[in-house]
């Protein structure tokens, strides 16, 4: 089979490797689509994602969709459309029984956080434990289902905010996660959804996904204390400070966007004076099931996908995904591409 590998900073190669055979309790999935995520961009353009350095050829990709190729149990016939929960949960911790995504020693598809690295889905075939497989609801296309993992991230963040029905919600950062957060907030019944970004392209896409107002923060200031809930999806320090200023007294800010593991200057005075609830969120637990349901009910969410690039041209997919003015979610069509 063919697979894409990141060998080092800005070094990408397609290689023939052995097609894996599933053992007991495993399923082999024929991959159709792989979404490019921020962590994938870091691995390619920097050779590392934070502290996780590429030390051996790494196949990226944890946002995947495709079809069952071989299920030794016989439960899922070949061709069954599926997506995959990309996490293998680690060591259980007392008190975190219901939050396995926070257990130590876990792994994630397409990650250099483990040694050997956990290879990802940008390949013709992917071998996964059967409890990671999620068959698609009737009517949900394989292409749209590639959004299940990032939508699950947005839904997990939204769960930390509580009920947003009838509330004023601000989403800071209108990249792919921010756009999917807007879709999730809209589905949850928010009264107003404001989206911010530094570029007009993402804001145009935010309006298409359901934002009732957009603010280009380089040209317009955010109103102070105006929002019940803020989903901070950019991970940029100035945006975090703005989120704390924009949320109402006793409101909630959820940090969805990842930030570097280093000190950054923040203005936390509003956090103190307004008794703001500021909560972190990391990946997701089981929200991928709710994501599949939402994707099946709301076909328009597929509009988050702005580019589909063939796997033989994977390098250009990374380049386009880095251009946030031009692109929303960039997806790689894995060979041979089957329309779905």
């Amino acid at each position: 089979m063919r697979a894409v590998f990141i060998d080092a900073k800005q070094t990408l190669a397609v290689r023939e490797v052995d097609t894996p055979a599933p053992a007991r309790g495993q399923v082999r999935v024929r991959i159709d689509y792989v979404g490019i995520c921020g962590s994938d961009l870091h691995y390619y353009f920097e050779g590392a994602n934070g502290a996780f350095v590429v030390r051996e050829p790494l196949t990226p990709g944890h946002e995947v969709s495709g079809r069952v190729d071989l299920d030794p149990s016989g439960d899922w016939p070949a061709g069954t459309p599926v997506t995959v929960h990309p996490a293998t949960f680690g060591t259980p911790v007392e008190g975190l029984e219901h939050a396995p995504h926070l257990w130590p020693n876990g792994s994630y598809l397409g990650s250099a956080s483990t040694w050997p690295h956990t290879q990802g889905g940008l390949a013709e075939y992917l071998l996964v434990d059967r409890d990671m497989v999620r068959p698609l609801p009737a009517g949900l296309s394989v292409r749209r289902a590639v959004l299940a993992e990032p939508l699950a991230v947005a839904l997990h963040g939204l769960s930390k905010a509580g009920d947003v029905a009838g509330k004023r919600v601000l989403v800071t950062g209108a990249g792919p996660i921010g756009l999917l957060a807007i879709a999730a907030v809209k589905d949850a019944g928010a009264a107003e959804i404001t989206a911010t970004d530094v570029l007009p392209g993402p804001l145009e896409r935010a309006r298409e996904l359901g934002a009732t107002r957009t603010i280009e923060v380089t040209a317009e200031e955010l109103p102070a204390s105006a929002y019940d809930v803020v989903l901070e999806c950019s991970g940029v320090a100035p945006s975090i400070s703005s989120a704390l200023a924009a949320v109402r007294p006793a409101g909630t800010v959820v940090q969805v966007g990842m930030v570097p593991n280093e000190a950054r200057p923040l203005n936390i005075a509003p956090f103190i004076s307004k008794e703001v609830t500021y909560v972190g969120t990391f990946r997701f637990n089981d929200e991928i099931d709710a994501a599949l349901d939402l994707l099946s009910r709301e076909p328009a969410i597929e509009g988050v996908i702005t580019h589909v690039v063939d796997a033989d041209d994977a390098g250009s997919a990374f380049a386009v995904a880095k251009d946030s003015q031009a692109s929303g979610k960039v997806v790689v069509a894995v060979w041979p591409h089957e329309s779905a």
Side-chain angles (χ1 to χ4, degrees):
M1 72 172 190
R2 286 166 291 182
V4 175
F5 291 94
I6 297 172
D7 291 331
K9 178 180 178 180
Q10 296 184 41
T11 304
L12 201 71
V14 176
R15 297 192 182 94
E16 287 282 348
V17 297
D18 291 338
T19 301
R24 183 180 179 87
Q26 293 183 317
V27 175
R28 187 168 67 203
V29 177
R30 174 68 177 85
I31 300 298
D32 281 343
Y33 296 101
V34 178
I36 302 296
C37 176
S39 61
D40 301 320
L41 294 179
H42 286 298
Y43 283 129
Y44 175 65
F45 285 104
E46 302 165 21
N49 181 29
F52 306 134
V53 179
V54 175
R55 294 184 287 159
E56 66 174 344
L58 173 69
T59 297
H62 54 263
E63 305 174 2
V64 302
S65 62
R67 296 171 174 83
V68 169
D69 180 68
L70 178 59
D71 175 14
S73 75
D75 291 342
W76 292 316
T80 300
V82 298
T83 187
V84 173
H85 191 309
T88 299
F89 298 131
T91 306
V93 175
E94 186 177 355
L96 293 178
E97 291 84 359
H98 300 295
H101 61 295
L102 299 180
W103 295 349
N105 306 316
S107 62
Y108 217 71
L109 293 178
S111 174
S113 64
T114 56
W115 181 258
H117 297 339
T118 303
Q119 301 299 332
L122 194 43
E124 288 186 85
Y125 297 95
L126 178 66
L127 207 62
V128 295
D129 293 340
R130 64 178 300 102
D131 61 3
M132 300 167 71
V133 177
R134 299 293 192 277
L136 304 188
L140 176 57
S141 71
V142 173
R143 172 176 150 142
R144 196 185 322 148
V146 78
L147 297 172
E149 193 275 350
L151 180 55
V153 171
L155 288 169
H156 184 65
L158 182 58
S159 74
K160 299 296 182 181
D163 185 8
V164 298
K167 293 185 177 180
R168 301 160 298 170
V169 178
L170 171 66
V171 177
T172 56
I177 294 294
L179 294 175
L180 291 167
I182 290 167
V185 169
K186 178 182 177 183
D187 185 67
E192 301 175 14
I193 308 171
T194 299
T196 70
D197 205 277
V198 297
L199 296 168
L203 294 178
E204 180 179 352
R205 291 186 282 274
R207 290 189 290 272
E208 292 171 355
L209 264 292
T212 53
R213 181 187 178 190
T214 57
I215 297 176
E216 190 173 338
V217 292
T218 58
E220 183 181 354
E221 288 189 7
L222 272 170
S225 301
Y227 303 97
D228 303 301
V229 171
V230 181
L231 300 179
E232 205 301 296
C233 297
S234 74
V236 178
S239 183
I240 298 171
S241 294
S242 296
L244 294 171
V247 72
R248 65 164 172 81
T252 300
V253 175
V254 181
Q255 187 60 48
V256 182
M258 293 296 291
V259 301
N261 187 21
E262 60 189 44
R264 292 292 175 95
L266 293 175
N267 177 12
I268 65 169
F271 166 70
I272 298 167
S273 63
K274 294 192 289 188
E275 296 189 0
V276 173
T277 298
Y278 182 44
V279 59
T281 177
F282 182 65
R283 293 178 180 164
F284 60 93
N285 181 5
D286 57 4
E287 286 86 357
I288 196 166
D289 301 310
L292 290 172
D293 174 69
L294 179 52
L295 287 168
S296 68
R297 290 188 287 105
E298 295 294 341
I301 297 176
E302 191 170 344
V304 172
I305 299 173
T306 57
H307 296 77
V308 179
V309 180
D310 288 342
D312 284 326
D313 198 18
S316 70
F318 284 85
V320 173
K322 190 179 182 182
D323 184 355
S324 56
Q325 165 62 16
S327 68
K329 174 59 67 178
V330 176
V331 170
V332 177
V334 178
W335 347 244
H337 177 217
E338 301 178 23
S339 61

